[in-house]
């Protein structure tokens, strides 16, 4: 049993492990090649987050999904490069929108070079992703463009907030389906599609990826509150301090609105106040950790992970399917 990929995913077959490791190494080389420019500064900025590392969660899913067809098919690795470049580009833009100072343990591009250059670098990565995508054929272009539309729509909906009368929790889950689920789903679709898997398998893996992507983000929401360390790659309570509406906070607000319990209303007021103050932030974090809203968010995470696992049922048993099932377990484990 060998550990590869994010969360210490264990692969129990030497041939599968070799395929995954070889594929991920080729993706890494492809990312470096795709982020090179004749202008040295652009290369430096574009490779800033590539060299900072990351889980490579999406390329891993491409490699595992490709096991249901021909994992050595020529489009598999380039499609994994496309989804990771797209993901990286969104991080540059997200950090500008969130005014983030750190990403993956290094200074964010916007804090290092300013917002304008960070946005333009993200655009450069989108352009390079499109260049690679063009070689994969019109169907791949269509699939990626639809996913990208969903991703951007999710970001817009998050920024705009729910319309009057819309349940904020339902709105948030729709946002995550677009922002996170869409690209994770495309990772699975590309792996299966490029490997020549049957259309039913492609659709099954796409639906799996959609649900796994949402579960993955919900686990991060839980970790932001519950973690005592840095499992999510961020300092605990970062989203809370920055006023980012995550699922535990949304469940808290719903409970406060529905029942009006003094303790809930006090905690909402605390969260809505100045959490740049370390003492207030620590108090809010401690009280949220003890609140049922956190456990409710955990249950939602488990529900999406179990829905993802259930989608795999029609697939033939084997090491690749077992690895995809283990990713569901890993997401739940992260959420505690």
């Amino acid at each position: 049993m060998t550990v590869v990929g994010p969360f210490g995913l264990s692969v129990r077959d030497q041939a599968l492990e070799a395929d995954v490791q070889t594929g991920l190494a080729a993706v890494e080389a492809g990312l470096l090649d795709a982020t090179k420019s004749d202008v040295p500064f652009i290369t430096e900025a574009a490779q800033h987050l590539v060299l900072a590392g990351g889980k490579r969660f999406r390329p891993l899913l491409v490699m595992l999904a490709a096991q249901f067809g021909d994992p050595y098919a020529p489009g598999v690795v380039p499609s994994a490069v496309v989804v990771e470049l797209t993901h990286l580009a969104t991080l540059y833009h997200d950090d500008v929108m969130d005014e983030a100072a750190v990403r993956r343990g290094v200074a964010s591009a916007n804090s290092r070079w300013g917002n304008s250059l960070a946005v333009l670098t993200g655009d450069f990565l989108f352009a390079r992703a499109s260049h690679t995508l063009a070689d994969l054929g019109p169907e791949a272009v269509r699939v990626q463009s639809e996913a990208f539309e969903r991703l951007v729509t999710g970001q817009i909906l998050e920024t705009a907030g729910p319309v009057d009368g819309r349940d904020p929790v339902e709105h948030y889950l729709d946002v995550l389906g677009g922002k996170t689920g869409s690209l994770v789903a495309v990772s699975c679709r590309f792996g299966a599609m490029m490997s020549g898997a049957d259309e039913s398998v492609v659709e099954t893996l796409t639906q799996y990826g959609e649900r796994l992507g949402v579960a993955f983000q919900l686990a991060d929401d839980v970790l932001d509150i519950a973690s005592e360390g840095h499992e999510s790659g961020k300092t605990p309570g970062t989203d809370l301090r920055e006023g980012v509406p995550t699922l535990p906070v949304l469940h808290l607000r719903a409970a406060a609105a529905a029942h009006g319990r003094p303790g809930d209303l006090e905690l909402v007021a605390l969260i809505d106040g100045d959490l740049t103050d370390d003492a207030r932030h620590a108090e809010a974090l401690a009280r949220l950790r003890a609140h049922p809203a956190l456990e409710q968010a955990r249950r939602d995470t488990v529900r999406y992970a179990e829905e993802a696992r259930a989608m795999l049922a029609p697939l033939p048993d084997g090491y690749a399917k077992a690895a995809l099932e283990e990713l569901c377990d890993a997401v739940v484990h992260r959420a505690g």
Side-chain angles (χ1 to χ4, degrees):
M1 181 171 68
T2 306
V3 172
V4 299
F7 326 124
L9 172 67
S10 56
V11 173
R12 296 173 173 81
D13 177 69
Q14 288 185 346
L16 175 58
E17 182 219 339
D19 284 350
V20 170
Q21 294 283 23
T22 300
L24 290 177
V27 170
E28 210 65 28
L31 288 171
L32 290 175
D33 186 60
T35 49
K36 287 178 182 175
S37 167
D38 292 337
V39 181
F41 171 73
I42 295 178
T43 300
E44 180 186 4
Q47 292 186 350
H48 182 62
L49 289 184
V50 174
L51 296 174
K55 298 181 182 70
R56 303 294 189 255
F57 180 48
R58 291 153 190 83
L60 173 65
L61 286 170
V62 175
M63 298 304 139
L64 290 174
Q67 293 293 319
F68 295 89
D70 175 10
Y72 313 112
V76 172
V77 168
S79 70
V81 172
V82 167
V83 292
E84 188 66 9
L85 283 175
T86 303
H87 173 59
L88 288 169
T90 65
L91 298 184
Y92 280 80
H93 288 181
D94 284 350
D95 286 348
V96 171
M97 295 180 66
D98 299 338
E99 300 180 351
V102 176
R103 170 68 71 175
R104 295 182 172 176
V106 299
S108 62
N110 50 294
S111 66
R112 183 168 178 179
W113 293 296
N115 286 346
S116 294
L117 284 173
V119 169
L120 290 169
T121 302
D123 292 345
F124 176 81
L125 294 179
F126 283 131
R128 287 300 176 88
S130 298
H131 181 80
T132 301
L133 185 65
D135 293 332
L136 298 178
E139 177 64 11
V141 172
R142 184 189 65 79
V143 167
Q144 174 73 358
S145 64
E146 288 177 355
F148 189 50
E149 178 183 344
R150 288 191 59 211
L151 191 157
V152 174
T153 299
Q155 183 65 68
I156 292 171
L157 289 175
E158 181 181 54
T159 303
V163 298
D164 290 343
R166 180 83 196 278
D167 179 1
V169 172
E170 289 183 4
H171 172 82
Y172 182 66
L173 293 173
D174 282 349
V175 165
L176 295 190
K179 275 191 62 178
T180 306
S182 62
L183 198 56
V184 176
V186 163
S187 300
C188 294
R189 178 176 284 277
F190 272 165
M193 189 172 87
M194 294 299 164
S195 71
D198 291 343
E199 184 55 39
S200 62
V201 172
V202 174
E203 185 58 33
T204 292
L205 287 167
T206 302
Q207 294 300 319
Y208 161 83
E210 176 91 17
R211 289 157 179 78
L212 184 69
V214 175
F216 180 80
Q217 183 56 57
L218 293 181
D220 269 2
D221 284 6
V222 171
L223 276 173
D224 186 63
I225 304 301
S227 172
E228 298 285 352
H230 298 80
E231 295 98 316
S232 66
K234 299 185 296 187
T235 302
T238 296
D239 289 336
L240 184 66
R241 190 189 294 273
E242 294 176 354
V244 176
T246 58
L247 192 61
V249 173
L250 290 174
H251 279 319
L252 166 67
R253 293 187 188 280
H259 307 295
R261 289 184 288 262
D264 291 351
L265 294 171
E266 289 173 8
L267 181 51
V268 168
L270 178 64
I271 289 171
D272 287 341
D274 180 15
L275 292 187
T276 60
D277 179 84
D278 288 343
R280 289 174 60 87
H281 178 258
E283 180 186 354
L285 200 55
R287 291 178 64 174
L288 260 177
R289 285 171 177 165
H291 196 279
L294 181 61
E295 186 56 37
Q296 191 172 358
R298 281 198 179 98
R299 290 196 298 271
D300 289 331
T301 306
V302 171
R303 174 167 59 88
Y304 272 93
E306 288 305 313
E307 286 180 5
R309 180 198 299 277
M311 294 306 303
L312 297 172
L315 297 180
D317 291 334
Y319 291 114
K321 180 178 178 179
L324 292 172
E325 289 173 335
E326 186 172 329
L327 281 175
C328 298
D329 295 333
V331 167
V332 170
H333 178 73
R334 291 176 76 235

